[in-house]
Amino acid sequence: MIKTIILAGGYGTRLGDVTDSIPKPMVEIGGIPIIVHIMEHYAFYGHKEFYIALGYKADYIIKYFNNFNSEWKINLIDTGIDTQTGGRCKKILQKIDNSKAFLTYGDGLSDINLDKLLSFHNKNRKVVTVSAVHPSARFGELHLDGDRVISFKEKPQLQTGWINGGFFVIEPNFINYIKDENVMLERQPLDKAANDNELYAFKHDGFWQCMDTRRDHHLLETLWNEGTAPWKKS
């Protein structure tokens, strides 16, 4: 079992007034917070130890999981209200033992096969593996040479092919790529790893959808309500 880090501290402003009262990872799909959907996916593959990096409305998430009954081991860590994604990752890595970890965002769902992702990562022996998915719009673009990431560009004006879908696997020494808490994961750390030939991409052709906007939320709700949610395991 590998520890799973979930970045769940952002403001989620593009969801509008939905996140005025609750943090984005707690927005429900089918009556279940999206973060729980994500955790269920990891648990399905046997990974049931979670480190959740909190920030905005941390108390809301803490209260929820304090009353959450499961066999999972859930560690709730307040990483600061304005800490960037790289900083949140660094703070969690400082708290876990010297082992590789899964890392993902608290707002994206997928039917990605985590066994295959981990096997791919272990085979290539790089510091970071990112899941590359096909864009629906407006996300960080990956330029690939085979499976090697040769460039990582956050939210370019023009996009082709593959984007950052989250669902990372990281080695402990990835912490050395993160300068401080003001660093965005998606910029200097991953770009530097790519330049060092230490960032590989696991290509996922299946379902992936983030919940960035009301439209995204409506899509995920519709899939769930129609019984066609690809990420649902049972």
Side-chain angles (χ1 to χ4, degrees):
M1 180 173 68
I2 293 179
K3 295 175 176 64
T4 299
I5 301 168
I6 303 178
L7 302 176
Y11 287 95
T13 53
R14 280 180 287 184
L15 275 173
D17 58 8
V18 174
T19 52
D20 287 346
S21 57
I22 64 173
K24 187 178 182 183
M26 297 304 295
V27 174
E28 294 183 347
I29 298 167
I32 302 168
I34 189 170
I35 193 171
V36 176
H37 286 280
I38 295 166
M39 294 165 77
E40 286 178 340
H41 187 73
Y42 280 93
F44 176 83
Y45 286 93
H47 306 291
K48 302 178 182 180
E49 184 173 354
F50 300 96
Y51 286 77
I52 302 177
L54 307 176
Y56 176 66
K57 294 193 179 296
D59 290 347
Y60 192 105
I61 299 178
I62 292 169
K63 182 178 179 181
Y64 178 85
F65 281 109
N66 280 343
N67 297 292
F68 187 76
N69 184 25
S70 79
E71 61 177 335
W72 305 341
K73 183 177 180 181
I74 303 170
N75 303 274
L76 304 169
I77 301 168
D78 193 340
T79 54
I81 187 68
D82 291 320
T83 306
Q84 296 292 337
T85 47
R88 295 191 195 283
C89 179
K90 188 179 185 77
K91 288 185 176 186
I92 301 295
L93 287 173
Q94 289 169 340
K95 291 182 178 292
I96 65 177
D97 59 15
N98 192 36
S99 61
K100 66 173 61 70
F102 287 112
L103 167 68
T104 197
Y105 304 105
D107 64 354
L109 294 171
S110 179
D111 61 355
I112 187 170
N113 186 312
L114 297 176
D115 288 343
K116 291 182 178 179
L117 168 62
L118 183 58
S119 176
F120 176 89
H121 175 82
N122 290 338
K123 179 184 72 175
N124 288 292
R125 298 181 179 181
K126 299 298 180 180
V127 173
V128 191
T129 297
V130 58
S131 295
V133 298
H134 291 295
S136 54
R138 71 188 187 280
F139 300 105
E141 187 174 23
L142 306 175
H143 294 272
L144 306 182
D145 177 11
D147 292 324
R148 186 171 75 88
V149 179
I150 58 176
S151 176
F152 188 103
K153 300 298 182 184
E154 176 67 1
K155 299 181 182 179
Q157 292 299 311
L158 298 174
Q159 300 172 332
T160 58
W162 300 96
I163 61 163
N164 166 24
F167 296 94
F168 299 89
V169 185
I170 57 176
E171 294 294 327
N173 57 333
F174 180 57
I175 195 171
N176 298 326
Y177 284 89
I178 306 170
K179 182 179 179 182
D180 55 46
E181 67 179 36
N182 298 314
V183 172
M184 291 183 67
L185 175 72
E186 302 79 9
R187 295 188 180 170
Q188 187 270 335
L190 289 177
D191 193 46
K192 179 68 163 56
N195 289 337
D196 288 350
N197 190 27
E198 289 293 343
L199 176 62
Y200 264 45
F202 176 79
K203 296 171 184 174
H204 175 62
D205 284 307
F207 175 82
W208 174 87
Q209 179 64 52
C210 74
M211 189 184 66
D212 235 11
T213 65
R214 286 178 177 269
R215 180 179 179 182
D216 297 334
H217 181 236
H218 178 71
L219 169 62
L220 293 170
E221 273 277 299
T222 299
L223 290 171
W224 183 268
N225 292 334
E226 292 178 349
T228 57
W231 69 89
K232 192 172 186 293
K233 295 300 182 185
S234 60

